[in-house]
């Protein structure tokens, strides 16, 4: 009976560790594949909008949004 409890405890620790590693890998892939391209696109749009005088406030907002996406 004690062996079963020890095996279940070890399986619990192993599954918990694998779950944490999977979560970290998902977070890294999400940042690289979604957040970073969106931030680059928003920064590029901010540069384009800041070239024109009338759209300068929108360009500043694009830069703020790009910064918030990365954080």
């Amino acid at each position: 009976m004690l062996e079963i409890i020890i095996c279940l405890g070890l399986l619990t620790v192993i599954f918990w560790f694998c779950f944490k590693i999977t979560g970290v890998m998902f977070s890294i892939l999400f940042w690289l594949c979604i957040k970073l391209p969106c931030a680059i696109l928003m920064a590029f749009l901010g540069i384009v909008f800041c070239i024109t005088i009338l759209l300068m406030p929108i360009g500043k907002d694009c830069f703020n949004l790009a910064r918030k996406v990365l954080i």
Side-chain angles (χ1 to χ4, degrees):
M1 186 67 173
L2 185 60
E3 295 86 14
I4 294 174
I5 293 173
I6 291 173
C7 285
L8 288 175
L10 287 173
L11 282 174
T12 303
V13 170
I14 290 171
F15 283 139
W16 174 80
F17 186 69
C18 292
F19 180 75
K20 290 294 182 181
I21 288 177
T22 305
V24 168
M25 288 172 31
F26 178 73
S27 296
I28 291 170
L29 284 174
F30 181 72
W31 193 85
L32 285 175
C33 295
I34 295 174
K35 284 187 171 186
L36 188 62
C38 286
I40 291 171
L41 178 68
M42 292 306 294
F44 179 73
L45 284 176
I47 291 170
V48 170
F49 286 154
C50 283
I51 290 173
T52 62
I53 294 175
L54 292 175
L55 296 176
M56 198 169 283
I58 296 173
K60 286 172 48 179
D61 289 339
C62 286
F63 287 128
N64 288 335
L65 185 61
R67 182 179 52 88
K68 288 179 183 177
V69 165
L70 286 178
I71 295 176

